[in-house]
Structures are given as C-alpha cells and as structure tokens.
Amino acid sequence: MKALLVIGKWITAFVWLLMIFNLFMPLNGNVAIILNILLAITVFMHGFQTVIFHTLFNTLLPLKKRDYLQVFLFGVFSLLQYRQQVLTQQK
C-alpha cells in the first residue's frame, strides 16, 4: 500500500508540473485548453478534498499547515496516508 501511495504522489506531482508549465508556456492546439480546464477542475477537487480532510481528521490528528498543503497537492493519496495513520493509532 505504501508503494502505491508513493507512486501516486509522484504521478500527481508530475501532472501538477505539466499543468502549471502549460500556464506559462502553452502547448500547441487544443491540448493547452484541455490542460487549463483540467487545472481548474484539479484545484477545485483538491480544495474540496482539503475541506473533507479538515472535517474528518481535525479531531483525530494534530494538523499543521504542511498537512493541509500535502492534501491539496496530492489529494486522495494523502487522504489515504492520513487514514492509515489514524488506523495505526487506534490499534
């Protein structure tokens, strides 16, 4: 499970870099438009996941700004990692 989370975070980081690179140096054709739309959707969804993270884990774990940033950047992969931490603590 841990390897899957690491691989997922690396892929997510690559996609973020690709979408941000597209903002400063747009790719040719419709690819640039699609990447801009995907960036907007990604920002919205990861923001929503950060709100979910706050409501679920705020009482279970001491959270720092770094934790919120990780959830915003890596989305569901960070949520699964924090879920694993909570399950480990409850044993």
Side-chain angles (χ1 to χ4, degrees), residues 2-90:
K2 187 174 182 176
L4 180 66
L5 294 176
V6 171
I7 292 169
K9 284 184 176 184
W10 276 104
I11 292 171
T12 305
F14 174 74
V15 172
W16 271 109
L17 289 174
L18 180 66
M19 291 185 294
I20 291 171
F21 175 79
N22 183 58
L23 285 176
F24 297 106
M25 299 186 78
L27 300 172
N28 295 329
N30 292 334
V31 175
I33 296 168
I34 291 170
L35 285 175
N36 287 335
I37 292 169
L38 287 175
L39 178 62
I41 291 170
T42 303
V43 167
F44 175 77
M45 290 303 295
H46 283 223
F48 186 63
Q49 287 176 350
T50 304
V51 171
I52 291 171
F53 172 71
H54 176 74
T55 54
L56 289 177
F57 293 106
N58 192 29
T59 59
L60 301 173
L61 293 172
L63 300 175
K64 300 175 183 136
K65 289 181 183 180
R66 182 180 58 95
D67 299 323
Y68 291 107
L69 181 62
Q70 277 196 8
V71 171
F72 182 76
L73 291 177
F74 301 115
V76 71
F77 298 108
S78 286
L79 288 175
L80 289 172
Q81 180 182 359
Y82 286 108
R83 178 182 173 267
Q84 189 70 27
Q85 284 180 8
V86 169
L87 292 176
T88 303
Q89 284 180 358
Q90 290 178 353

